[in-house]
Structure formats: C-alpha cells, structure tokens
Amino acid sequence: MVTRLLDFWEGNSLALLCALAASLYLLWLALVLSVIDIRTHTLPNRYVLPAYPIVAALLLTAAIAAQAPGHAFRAAGGALAMAGLYWLLWAIYPAGMGFGDVKLAGVLGLFLGFLSWQHVVFGIAAGFVAGGLWGMLLIVSRKGTAKTAIPFAPSMIAGTLATMLLLPA
C-alpha cells in the first residue's frame, strides 16, 4: 500500500504524510481490534469510535493538500455505504453479527472509499470471503461447526487490507 500511496501522492509531501499516517493508524487499529475480537468477541468503542475523527481528519487533509476533494467525498460515501450495509445485515439477523462490526465497517469504508468505489465493493466481498474461508477451516479441522460463532472483525480487516494492497489505486 505504501508504494501505491507514493505513486498516487507523488510530489505532495503533506498529502503523502497524511495518507501514510492514516494507513499506519489503520494497521495499528487492525492489529489491536483483531486480537481483542479473537479473544473476547467484542470491539470496544474506546478503539473504534475515536478512529472516525482521526481517520477522517487525516484523509480530509490529504485530499485537500492533493487538491482532490472527490476523494474526501468518496471516503464519506464509502463509510456510509459499508456501515449501512453492515447495519442492514445486523438488523435482519442480529445474532449473526455484533454491532461492533457495523461500527468498524464505517471506519474501513473511509479508507476504501478514499481510494475508489471499486475498493469499497471488493473490500466488502473480500471480508465475507475471508470470513467464509475461516469458518470452513474451522469446520474442516473439526474445531467448529456451521453454528460456531467466529469473530468477524479480523475477516473484515483482512478483506480491507488485501483490497488496499492488491487492487490498483
């Protein structure tokens, strides 16, 4: 992802610095939330909610510095789209997903939307594919069944990071 940022923000050090800071924050948040979710099946608000203003401020500053306001608007749209989809899934079947996943989806949507709508779509799909593969691995290894609850944040994060790393900006 860093090389994609370097290519995308070439020549604008403030934009690059802000986008890089946001990316490093995402990596830290991904690690912290994945470990917590695996251990406790929760996503504490004290980590998820502050991510919104931090990430939004960094990405907004990057977009303004790069004179690319469309990226900021798309980031907001990506956050709304992902959080909205996850909220709908949670509302339809609350036992299938925790509300922490809904809140995390908005943060991940900020990053993916900042890059493109294609990143948002692929990020969502990749998260569900990762979750499905994890679930199948548990079933095949006989460490779980189709009814075993698995923490979904690591799958969402894996899908987001894979999309950000593999899909062209």
Side-chain angles (χ1 to χ4, degrees):
M1 176 169 165
V2 172
T3 56
R4 294 201 196 295
L5 289 173
L6 291 172
D7 292 341
F8 192 72
W9 300 104
E10 187 175 328
N12 190 318
S13 57
L14 178 60
L16 177 62
L17 181 64
C18 289
L20 186 58
S23 300
L24 291 173
Y25 180 78
L26 172 64
L27 291 175
W28 171 82
L29 187 67
L31 178 64
V32 168
L33 290 178
S34 292
V35 169
I36 292 171
D37 200 24
I38 289 168
R39 288 183 178 175
T40 68
H41 289 244
T42 62
L43 296 172
N45 284 339
R46 72 177 177 267
Y47 294 108
V48 178
L49 297 182
Y52 280 94
I54 292 169
V55 170
L58 288 168
L59 294 180
L60 178 62
T61 303
I64 291 170
Q67 298 179 355
H71 289 279
F73 289 114
R74 204 173 48 236
L80 290 172
M82 280 189 71
L85 173 67
Y86 277 77
W87 179 86
L88 182 62
L89 294 172
W90 173 81
I92 291 170
Y93 187 61
M97 172 181 307
F99 200 72
D101 296 324
V102 175
K103 292 181 267 187
L104 177 60
V107 174
L108 300 178
L110 280 168
F111 283 98
L112 294 172
F114 186 78
L115 296 172
S116 75
W117 285 112
Q118 186 180 18
H119 282 80
V120 174
V121 172
F122 278 88
I124 292 168
F128 283 104
V129 168
L133 290 173
W134 187 357
M136 286 192 304
L137 182 65
L138 289 174
I139 292 169
V140 168
S141 67
R142 300 189 189 271
K143 296 189 185 231
T145 68
K147 301 241 182 216
T148 300
I150 62 169
F152 195 56
S155 300
M156 295 169 64
I157 290 166
T160 295
L161 294 176
T163 299
M164 291 172 76
L165 289 169
L166 301 175
L167 203 63

